[in-house]
Amino acid sequence: MKILISGGNGQLARALRGALPADCSVFTPDRRELDVSSFSVVEDYFARVRPELVIHTAALTNVDRCEKEPGLALLVNARGSRNIALACQGFNAEMIHISTNFIFNGKSKDFYREDSLPDPINIYGYSKLLAEFFVKELLKNYYIVRTSWLYGEGEDNFVKRMIGLACQRKLLCVVDDQWAAPSYTVDLAEGILRLAASKKYGIYNMTNKGYCSRLQWVKEIIRISGIDVELKAVSSDYFPTPAVRPAFTVLSNDLLEQKIGFRLRSWEEALKEYCQRSGNI
Ligand SMILES: NC(=O)c1ccc[n+]([C@@H]2O[C@H](COP(=O)([O-])OP(=O)(O)OC[C@H]3O[C@@H](n4cnc5c(N)ncnc54)[C@H](OP(=O)(O)O)[C@@H]3O)[C@@H](O)[C@H]2O)c1
């Protein structure tokens, strides 16, 4: 089977590449090779490769950059996803589109389900919601996978950043009013491939089990890594950022379990494995 993974240099793309069986032909172009914001580039690439399955991970994921450059965010995240969906339509390929917990406003006290009403509060969230609309409108055979707080092998992620800071400082201030489920790309890649094999198209939430605040996440990171640093809880106002973050965006994974019979392990277990693999224990 020919599989195309857009955004080939990103965290999730790397994990997917590692999880795919050897008998697949896998194409993982980076932004220079396949810029999803240009339809002619996308069309040419599809004409050359003729993928049967496309896993669309490419996105502008820096939430503050999206806020400062909304035109670029919409071009890459919304129009880029439309370009990929259109090409999938034209070349009869299935599409797995990766979406986010940030399409929700975070005001709920309950877990968000697949049919909860989206209401993004920042440009990144808007651009990713628009992408979902395009995928749904243009394709019949699609999966939309919503996930949260991703980390894994790659250039930069929250876990790496916190370990770096914790090693340099005696005191670390961390926000304690944002809640979600940290999700390890290796686990997500396994779930995405199971979903792809199921042919049960639709929208699915997919995160590691459980949830925490940013502060609880950092507590666990430094406990596992054995770093001696004092943590101080602060509110989001303490670190003013261009984009506001939704407060509580925990996604329910029940549908994935009911329809696909799969649940990702707990976020604590996954984090421990990541720290072991990346040499931080
Ligand atoms: N990270 C999270 O916490 C999180 C949470 C929920 C959902 N998601 C979603 O999950 C997916 C994967 O996230 P990730 O953490 O793996 O992201 P990532 O590491 O930032 O990777 C995204 C990749 O997309 C590439 N890209 C940017 N603009 C592009 C363009 N115009 N054409 C082609 N490629 C382009 C980037 O390349 P350059 O670096 O060269 O620009 C980068 O390699 C994204 O769709 C994201 O929205 C992420």
Side-chain angles (χ1 to χ4, degrees):
M1 187 182 207
K2 281 194 196 173
I3 302 176
L4 165 61
I5 304 172
S6 68
N9 214 18
Q11 300 188 87
L12 181 57
R14 291 180 197 216
L16 283 162
R17 195 169 41 200
L20 280 162
D23 59 348
C24 293
S25 302
V26 186
F27 301 84
T28 55
D30 64 14
R31 178 162 49 91
R32 273 156 301 176
E33 212 187 334
L34 174 62
D35 182 344
V36 299
S37 63
S38 159
F39 183 67
S40 63
V41 169
V42 171
E43 202 179 26
D44 287 352
Y45 195 90
F46 271 63
R48 260 189 293 131
V49 165
R50 300 202 164 260
E52 294 158 272
L53 172 66
V54 179
I55 310 179
H56 179 46
T57 76
L60 198 65
T61 56
N62 183 321
V63 176
D64 290 323
R65 185 164 176 213
C66 287
E67 206 67 19
K68 288 190 277 188
E69 298 180 63
L72 185 66
L74 289 168
L75 180 67
V76 175
N77 294 350
R79 186 152 194 135
S81 302
R82 183 175 184 270
N83 290 340
I84 293 285
L86 265 176
C88 286
Q89 189 189 60
F91 288 84
N92 205 20
E94 285 185 1
M95 177 170 178
I96 302 182
H97 171 72
I98 310 301
S99 192
T100 171
N101 55 331
F102 274 30
I103 62 163
F104 296 113
N105 64 21
K107 291 178 186 154
S108 172
K109 298 267 177 288
D110 225 335
F111 296 175
Y112 287 95
R113 298 173 355 151
E114 287 75 359
D115 57 0
S116 299
L117 193 67
D119 177 26
I121 59 170
N122 57 38
I123 298 290
Y124 171 73
Y126 273 109
S127 67
K128 295 290 291 186
L129 180 60
L130 211 49
E132 287 196 9
F133 289 158
F134 287 134
V135 172
K136 284 192 276 191
E137 198 172 276
L138 290 166
L139 296 173
K140 277 200 200 89
N141 297 343
Y142 67 82
Y143 305 89
I144 291 175
V145 174
R146 294 178 181 154
T147 188
S148 61
W149 288 2
L150 279 196
Y151 66 92
E153 191 205 326
E155 299 192 347
D156 176 47
N157 67 48
F158 183 76
V159 180
K160 254 196 208 176
R161 235 176 298 140
M162 289 304 116
I163 290 175
L165 287 174
C167 289
Q168 290 162 21
R169 297 185 185 172
K170 289 199 173 84
L171 175 74
L172 212 52
C173 296
V174 187
V175 301
D176 199 23
D177 55 5
Q178 293 171 26
W179 301 76
S183 298
Y184 183 27
T185 52
V186 167
D187 293 2
L188 197 61
E190 188 189 347
I192 289 170
L193 298 187
R194 287 207 190 204
L195 196 59
S198 75
K199 304 289 174 198
K200 293 180 181 165
Y201 305 109
I203 303 179
Y204 292 88
N205 294 338
M206 196 185 290
T207 67
N208 276 117
K209 199 167 95 187
Y211 65 95
C212 58
S213 70
R214 288 261 181 205
L215 178 69
Q216 288 169 336
W217 190 7
V218 175
K219 265 189 192 157
E220 191 62 11
I221 293 168
I222 62 162
R223 190 192 67 76
I224 292 172
S225 315
I227 305 170
D228 185 20
V229 64
E230 193 186 332
L231 296 180
K232 184 178 168 202
V234 294
S235 73
S236 296
D237 305 341
Y238 187 85
F239 295 113
T241 51
V244 281
R245 266 67 171 176
F248 184 90
T249 51
V250 182
L251 306 176
S252 160
N253 289 296
D254 288 351
L255 189 70
L256 184 73
E257 187 163 18
Q258 283 156 18
K259 287 186 76 172
I260 313 297
F262 183 65
R263 193 178 268 280
L264 276 62
R265 66 185 150 170
S266 75
W267 69 267
E268 293 97 328
E269 282 173 80
L271 179 63
K272 189 171 173 196
E273 185 179 305
Y274 169 73
C275 289
Q276 272 164 347
R277 279 201 194 186
S278 55
N280 283 305
I281 288 191

